[in-house]
Amino acid sequence: MPQIKFTDTNLRTLSADKTTWFSDPTCKGLRLCVTPGGVKTWYAVKWDPASQKTRQTKLAQWAPKGTHCAWAKDQVGLVVRDIKEGKVRTKAETVVEQAGIPTLRDAFEAEMHKRRNRAAAFGGPITDETEKGYRSSFQKLERFHDLKVTDIAVQDVNALLDALAIAHPFAAHKVNVVLSMTYARAERLINKALLRPKLEKNPQMGQMDVDYDLPWADRWAEIEQVENEHKRLAWMVKWHTGMRGRMVRGLLWSDIDMHAGTMLVSTGLKKVKGKRLIAMSARVHDMFRRLHEIKMDDCDWVFPSRRIVGDARGPLDALDRLELTTEGTLRHLWNVASQDVETREMVLRWLCGHALTDGDTKNLGLYGMVPVERQRKVANLISTIIDHKCRVSPANVVEIGRTGT
């Protein structure tokens, strides 16, 4: 966090290219948030011993007239004292305190409110898709929603988690994560430690819900039976690229260069800014040629929905789970195919939309990307391996082998 001397003269010329927090070493507990638009806002920050967390309270925006810095320094002392005495509460906490012990639903909604309004310095608000995922997982706890957190029988929740882990380990893991954050919020709301439900054995992330012994040809045959051609091709593109579902379904035709066989992809990761240029394998390029033939004229989505909501047609929502395969399964299977290709980890992470490590980023060179032809060579090899394991004869055959790219 940058440090400056809080004086009205200094603040009058202070600016920032991105949202930045400033502090003054001579005035503890006072911070200034400066946005790219030039808005400067005072905050008081102090550890709350009662709730065992740091509280950040908005004071006011800096005003260019008068001695506003002097006012802020006086004001922060008053607010810090209120925090130490436990008088400062968020709106969500105030509502819950007035109602008493929160229900599981109350605590969950308070946590979602906190995450939707999280300051940029703490990671910023959660995305709509992330919140949607949390809510989907929370729905599996429906029979506990309206019970007070202190009245929930922990053994009952543990039994539900363990049963879910047998049938759907990945879903059990996500429910376990949601439960943990919900109980943590409940503890802050009532200033009391609770006995938390917990999954008996956390499934290994790389092994969740994937039957590696199932023949790939059976999965491919099932995908070929999907009636909606846009959905069918979405499944196939996902398998041959290893990308997350939202990356594929969010593609626009303005992001596709059919001549060059490349696509600009938004990874959806906070660590990956902007869009990434990714080369298509010959197999994927053929799929996009077919997608262009069935392109809908009333939208720019590569994978459009059949439904029109209001006046606009949106993209495909999450693909319906097939009997043998989920979207996440294909990402794992692409990774299995990539293990038979000798190449740098950086190239594989680039192709499937992973965030790169600091070391990888430093090796990207002047243009900050993996060269297109290098990407395409590896992508072709992976696609050929997938087709071979699925017993598919592609239009463009690439010799299966090992490459030192």
Side-chain angles (χ1 to χ4, degrees):
M1 182 181 297
Q3 294 185 338
I4 64 169
K5 185 75 172 177
F6 285 154
T7 66
D8 291 301
T9 301
N10 287 344
L11 266 56
R12 194 167 282 110
T13 57
L14 184 64
S15 62
D17 295 330
K18 61 180 181 180
T19 300
T20 307
W21 292 79
F22 294 89
S23 64
D24 183 340
T26 65
C27 188
K28 292 184 178 181
L30 183 62
R31 291 181 185 174
L32 184 71
C33 177
V34 182
T35 68
V39 177
K40 306 178 181 77
T41 308
W42 295 113
Y43 285 86
V45 181
K46 180 66 177 177
W47 175 257
D48 183 348
S51 61
Q52 291 293 294
K53 66 179 181 180
T54 300
R55 291 195 179 273
Q56 179 169 277
T57 305
K58 181 178 178 180
L59 301 178
Q61 289 184 4
W62 175 78
K65 296 181 180 180
T67 55
H68 209 266
C69 286
W71 172 86
K73 292 175 181 179
D74 289 339
Q75 191 70 17
V76 74
L78 299 174
V79 175
V80 164
R81 185 181 63 187
D82 287 342
I83 292 175
K84 290 176 65 176
E85 294 178 356
K87 297 178 181 178
V88 176
R89 291 287 184 272
T90 65
K91 291 182 180 179
E93 288 172 335
T94 301
V95 170
V96 172
E97 284 181 350
Q98 291 173 348
I101 302 296
T103 63
L104 192 68
R105 191 197 306 274
D106 290 335
F108 175 76
E109 292 298 341
E111 179 64 17
M112 290 299 98
H113 178 272
K114 179 75 174 180
R115 290 175 181 248
R116 281 195 302 269
N117 295 279
R118 191 164 49 192
F122 298 96
I126 58 172
T127 65
D128 291 342
E129 186 162 356
T130 299
E131 182 173 351
K132 181 179 178 181
Y134 286 151
R135 291 189 178 279
S136 176
S137 296
F138 186 68
Q139 193 58 35
K140 292 180 172 60
L141 300 162
E142 185 176 9
R143 61 190 173 106
F144 304 106
H145 284 181
D146 297 319
L147 296 178
K148 302 282 189 181
V149 288
T150 51
D151 294 337
I152 294 175
V154 173
Q155 61 270 25
D156 291 345
V157 186
N158 284 340
L160 182 148
L161 284 172
D162 293 339
L164 187 60
I166 295 172
H168 305 290
F170 189 33
H173 166 76
K174 292 194 290 186
V175 172
N176 193 42
V177 169
V178 169
L179 262 177
S180 179
M181 68 173 67
T182 300
Y183 267 76
R185 178 57 52 193
E187 289 174 343
R188 293 187 180 100
L189 293 173
I190 62 178
N191 296 323
K192 176 183 177 182
L194 299 168
L195 181 61
R196 302 190 193 182
K198 189 172 73 172
L199 193 59
E200 184 65 26
K201 185 177 180 181
N202 200 21
Q204 296 298 309
M205 290 296 290
Q207 305 296 324
M208 292 178 180
D209 263 357
V210 182
D211 182 359
Y212 291 101
D213 295 327
L214 184 68
W216 289 28
D218 291 354
R219 295 185 189 275
W220 187 265
E222 181 182 49
I223 289 173
E224 287 186 313
Q225 298 304 310
V226 174
E227 185 176 352
N228 182 320
E229 189 168 9
H230 282 105
K231 288 186 177 181
R232 183 164 69 250
L233 286 165
W235 280 106
M236 293 177 175
V237 169
K238 256 193 63 60
W239 197 337
H240 277 266
T241 59
M243 294 180 184
R244 296 177 182 83
R246 63 177 176 270
M247 295 168 62
V248 172
R249 298 191 304 273
L251 284 170
L252 298 168
W253 280 111
S254 55
D255 297 323
I256 308 300
D257 187 333
M258 291 297 294
H259 176 73
T262 59
M263 47 187 161
L264 284 170
V265 180
S266 175
T267 67
L269 301 174
K270 289 184 178 181
K271 295 180 180 179
V272 183
K273 305 300 182 184
K275 294 186 176 183
R276 179 180 292 179
L277 182 68
I278 295 180
M280 304 176 189
S281 67
R283 186 80 161 94
V284 172
H285 202 174
D286 286 341
M287 295 175 190
F288 274 86
R289 289 191 183 96
R290 176 55 187 162
L291 283 163
H292 197 268
E293 290 175 1
I294 61 174
K295 175 183 177 183
M296 291 189 175
D297 296 331
D298 61 352
C299 72
D300 193 36
W301 298 109
V302 175
F303 297 99
S305 171
R306 290 289 189 267
R307 296 183 300 122
I308 298 178
V309 179
D311 297 327
R313 186 188 300 278
L316 283 176
D317 201 348
L319 300 175
D320 297 333
R321 175 172 180 157
L322 302 179
E323 185 175 344
L324 302 178
T325 306
T326 68
E327 288 192 74
T329 300
L330 299 184
R331 193 162 164 83
H332 287 292
L333 296 182
W334 182 90
N335 184 60
V336 171
S338 72
Q339 293 170 8
D340 289 335
V341 177
E342 187 175 312
T343 187
R344 296 183 66 183
E345 182 71 18
M346 173 181 68
V347 180
L348 299 177
R349 295 178 72 85
W350 182 278
L351 283 171
C352 67
H354 272 171
L356 300 180
T357 64
D358 290 339
D360 287 336
T361 303
K362 291 176 182 177
N363 290 328
L364 287 178
L366 178 63
Y367 297 103
M369 64 171 288
V370 178
V372 169
E373 289 312 311
R374 189 177 185 186
Q375 294 183 50
R376 199 183 316 278
K377 184 176 182 180
V378 174
N380 278 332
L381 285 165
I382 295 173
S383 277
T384 302
I385 291 167
I386 292 171
D387 279 335
H388 178 74
K389 292 173 75 71
C390 290
R391 300 175 189 171
V392 175
S393 298
N396 299 284
V397 178
V398 179
E399 181 183 357
I400 300 176
R402 300 177 71 83
T403 175
T405 57

